[in-house]
Structures are given as structure tokens and as C-alpha cells.
Amino acid sequence: MALHPKGFDLSLERITRLLGRLGNPHEKLPPVIHIAGTNGKGSTSAFCRAILEAHGLTVHVHTSPHLVNWHERFRIGAEGGGHLVEDEVLADALRRVADANQGEMITVFEILTAVMFVLFSEHPADAALIEVGLGGRFDATNVIAHPAVSLIMSISLDHQAYLGDRVELIAAEKAGIIKPGAPVVIGAQTEDAAREVLIEIAERLRCPLSIYGQDFLALEENGRLAYQDEDELIDLPLPRLAGRHQQGNAAAAIRGLKAAGFKLEERATAEGLLNVSWPGRLERLTHGRLVEGAMEGVELWIDGGHNPGAGKAIAEAMANLNDRDSRPLFLVTGMINTKDPVGYFEAFAGMVRHVFTVPVSDSEAGLDPEFLADTADEAGLTAEAAKDVESAIAAICTNWNGLERPPRILIGGSLYLLGEVLKFNETPPV
């Protein structure tokens, strides 16, 4: 981080030059599932991994950003579920990539992307799940010329300074991972304009195309998940990941894997949905320092969603949870200044008793908690600033001790904040 600039400088020239010096490791990968989108990339990648591993296959996984440790970005496929890259292996790959770069200007994400390609090319696996960092067209991962499938998840406004201020422009950038003739799967979209752009580009490039709601879909029926496409209708358990939006993510993962040429069996697919894990996405904390410090009976949930689209999905999940087990809901929120806090908070209007806003210490772009509290007020919620997450939880447990039931507390608004929470709670992803 000291050697290379933070942020993004969207171009493929630097990463292409660097990979050439490294022997083009991106051309020596197992079949690649390339995943883009504003929301749902990580969850869909987690579903893909869980399903493939349930079939006995080995899977490399690249995600970003990490929550606590840099190693989380690189999961090396191996029998028994794979593992995050070891210290020595990561350090060696970093040294070799740095040497090949020869001190030339390059961003941190480009260096880490080159490291990913080196690691994945040097360890055998049956598949590689590669998540886009930002956008698609000029993202450093987009040197992959022949993906097994390009999987594009829900698109909404985010990173407008880099990708454009209209959802159509953002969709066009995300669609940059679509390659001529390669299969494309379009996940559930909340914006018709985004879907239309993706379809137009895929058809122009003559790609085999599958569209959620048209060529495949998933519906909850009698506590089960019914998945259907042009080939089959299968009865599956509901995904382990909480929230109705995860049903669509699971469906996109299934259709994406089939489009990539993997033969899926119903039993193993069901096993994958039951065993899937994706830290920090509507995850309930059941142990650790924060749980031990809260009053008895309090539910602590975390979620890294940080834009209006994610806010709507999370709010819906919280509402469904409340229907099954009614509890007063509180938010503990920290955000950075590239996000739309009012749009995020508006999704929770009428649901939340009170909001505590906290600083995001691990990012220089963290919003001032007092300002963030004002934006929550603007969105129709009552809010106040707190020193940190631990103080906010203590205030809820103290000031609302007379509630009809112990509260449900949702901590979120920023992946940086979640990293701080998981580190403090001593429960980092593994």
C-alpha cells in the first residue's frame, strides 16, 4: 500500500504489460467463471464454489475487497474445500510480481490481480471463479479472453465517478466482460434499462444468452426452492444464506455453472446450497467479543451492502425475518464518501427504531458520523453518532432495556466497517 497508489486508474495497458513479463499466467487457467455486477457478485461466487465443491471439484476463488486479511482475496482450490493462500506462497508471488513490474507506475489492485493470475496458474484446479473489482470493461481482471461463462449480476448506481451517472452507462461498463461467442448469464435485475443494455451487447457479440425470469428462475414454494430452466425443474432446499435475494443469486450460480459446461446433479447442488458460506453478507454473529459484551438475547447481524440497491435487499430480508420472529430493529452504520447514504437509509424507513452512526477507521474516505446521522434523519429515521460499534451496541442495550423483546441490531453500510467488526470480534473469515 505504501509502494502503489490506492484507488483505480481504469486501463488494461499496465496489467497486460506486467502479465506479459510474467509469462501470461492468465492464459494458463482452468475454466473461468467471470462475475461482474453491482450487488450479488460475492454471494453468487460463493454459491458457485459451494456447488462445485459438493460435486467433488476443486475451485480457485478471487474476491475483493478483503474484510480482515489480504489472504481472503485468494482461495486456492484443493480437495476438501480449498484454503486461503498461505503466507509464504503469497509473499513469494508478491515478490515475483513486484520484480516483474520493475518499479513502473501501477495500482495496488493491478498488482494483486497479477498475483491472483500467478497463483491460480501455478496450482491445478477444475475451475476458477474470478470476481471483477470495479466495472468490467477496464477492470484488471478483464484480460481473460475466453471465459467459460460471463455472469453479470444486479446492476444499480454505484461508483458513479468511475462508471457513469446512469444505470445504462454502468451496465455498459459491466458488460465489458462479455466476450464474442462466450456464454452469458444475466442474473436478476431491478433496472429494466440495465437488462436491456446487457441483452443488446450479448446479442451483438453472438453469445449464447440466459436471462433470469425468461430462461431460468427460482421460486420459493412450501419452504423449498424450485429452480427451473429450459432443461429441467428441480426441487432444492432454501439457500443457507439469508434473504430472498439470495434465491436469485443461487439460481444465477446454477445456470452459470451449467452454461460453463459443468454437469450438475440435484443431490450435490442441494448440498452446495446448504453448505454455502459468505462472510459479512447477512451473517449473524453467534460468538465473539461483541456478542459476549451485548445483553442476553440480543441478535447481532452484519452485512456489507452499501448502496441503495443493496439497502432494499437487506431491508426486505430484515422484514421477512421480523415476520417470523418480531424484534425491534436498530442500525449501526458507517459509510464512506463514495456512497449514497440517503438512498441506503430510505430502504429502512418505517422499520427501524433508531440508527447509530459510527466512523469507518480503516478508510480515509469514511464519512463523519454526525453528517451520516443527519442523512439518516433526512431519510426519515432518527439517528445519533456514536464513538464506535461497541459503544453503539452498549447504548442500545442500556437505553432500550425496557423493550418488549431483546433487539435485533444490524451492523453495516461499509465492507471496511465489517472488517473492523470481524477483527474486533476475533472472527475473521477463514
Side-chain angles (χ1 to χ4, degrees):
M1 292 294 286
L3 288 171
H4 305 292
K6 292 181 287 185
F8 301 92
D9 184 5
L10 298 181
S11 165
L12 296 181
E13 294 178 5
R14 293 175 300 276
I15 186 69
T16 300
R17 179 190 67 233
L18 176 55
L19 292 173
R21 293 173 181 171
L22 290 164
N24 293 315
H26 60 297
E27 298 176 354
K28 304 168 186 175
L29 302 181
V32 170
I33 293 105
H34 202 187
I35 306 177
T38 307
N39 297 308
K41 297 191 300 293
S43 297
T44 303
S45 177
F47 280 120
C48 287
R49 173 196 157 205
I51 293 169
L52 288 174
E53 289 181 346
H55 282 81
L57 300 177
T58 55
V59 189
H60 296 323
V61 186
H62 167 263
T63 59
S64 66
H66 62 278
L67 295 177
V68 179
N69 297 311
W70 293 90
H71 307 67
E72 298 165 31
R73 295 172 180 247
F74 315 106
R75 178 172 289 274
I76 306 300
E79 291 186 10
H83 54 84
L84 301 184
V85 64
E86 301 96 335
D87 278 351
E88 297 79 5
V89 175
L90 178 57
D92 175 67
L94 280 164
R95 276 192 294 268
R96 286 187 284 145
V97 169
D99 289 345
N101 188 56
Q102 300 174 8
E104 295 191 40
M105 178 64 69
I106 198 163
T107 67
V108 170
F109 185 75
E110 288 168 329
I111 285 285
L112 294 174
T113 299
V115 166
M116 177 265 293
F117 285 129
V118 167
L119 292 171
F120 288 4
S121 69
E122 294 178 348
H123 294 80
D126 297 305
L129 300 168
I130 297 180
E131 181 184 323
V132 166
L134 177 66
R137 185 164 62 111
F138 290 121
D139 184 81
T141 67
N142 201 32
V143 293
I144 300 164
H146 305 288
V149 65
S150 298
L151 184 49
I152 304 181
M153 302 308 297
S154 177
I155 293 173
S156 60
L157 290 175
D158 200 9
H159 296 293
Q160 290 96 314
Y162 294 101
L163 305 180
D165 58 0
R166 302 199 321 273
V167 72
E168 302 97 305
L169 298 176
I170 295 175
E173 291 294 326
K174 307 283 187 185
I177 70 166
I178 297 175
K179 301 299 171 18
V184 174
V185 172
I186 298 174
Q189 301 291 324
T190 58
E191 301 282 350
D192 291 340
R195 185 188 301 105
E196 290 169 5
V197 169
L198 298 175
I199 293 171
E200 188 275 326
I201 292 174
E203 290 180 342
R204 174 158 47 84
L205 295 176
R206 301 183 183 277
C207 299
L209 177 61
S210 297
I211 306 164
Y212 183 86
Q214 176 177 311
D215 303 302
F216 70 99
L217 75 161
L219 297 171
E220 181 177 351
E221 294 181 351
N222 302 316
R224 303 278 294 176
L225 185 69
Y227 169 86
Q228 184 173 11
D229 60 23
E230 68 273 20
D231 299 324
E232 59 185 346
L233 170 65
I234 54 177
D235 175 56
L236 297 166
L238 290 176
R240 180 184 176 194
L241 299 184
R244 192 175 69 174
H245 60 290
Q246 296 293 6
Q247 298 171 20
N249 292 340
I254 294 169
R255 189 68 192 92
L257 292 175
K258 292 177 67 173
F262 293 97
K263 304 299 182 184
L264 303 185
E265 299 177 358
E266 185 172 331
R267 177 200 57 78
T269 301
E271 181 183 336
L273 297 191
L274 291 174
N275 292 333
V276 64
S277 174
W278 186 228
R281 277 67 173 184
L282 274 181
E283 176 186 6
R284 184 177 174 184
L285 297 180
T286 58
H287 61 281
R289 293 175 65 186
L290 286 174
V291 177
E292 293 165 2
M295 70 185 219
E296 186 176 354
V298 169
E299 283 187 11
L300 296 182
W301 291 76
I302 57 174
D303 190 276
H306 45 251
N307 54 51
K312 291 176 183 176
I314 301 162
E316 180 185 35
M318 288 289 105
N320 291 336
L321 188 58
N322 191 67
D323 289 342
R324 298 194 298 269
D325 178 18
S326 180
R327 290 170 179 259
L329 176 65
F330 293 81
L331 299 186
V332 177
T333 307
M335 300 187 83
I336 61 175
N337 60 18
T338 59
K339 306 305 173 186
D340 173 12
V342 174
Y344 175 86
F345 285 127
E346 283 177 342
F348 295 93
M351 294 177 54
V352 173
R353 293 288 180 96
H354 197 63
V355 179
F356 283 89
T357 56
V358 296
V360 180
S361 302
D362 282 353
S363 172
E364 297 173 359
L367 286 173
D368 177 76
E370 295 287 354
F371 170 80
L372 194 56
D374 289 341
T375 64
D377 289 334
E378 184 181 339
L381 309 176
T382 63
E384 63 185 280
K387 181 178 68 173
D388 52 34
V389 170
E390 191 177 17
S391 301
I393 294 173
I396 294 169
C397 294
T398 301
N399 299 334
W400 279 270
N401 203 20
L403 290 170
E404 60 275 17
R405 291 201 65 194
R408 178 173 291 127
I409 302 173
L410 174 65
I411 307 166
S414 168
L415 290 171
Y416 292 105
L417 179 65
L418 259 60
E420 296 173 23
V421 167
L422 291 172
K423 184 176 182 179
F424 177 85
N425 199 50
E426 299 176 347
T427 53
V430 294

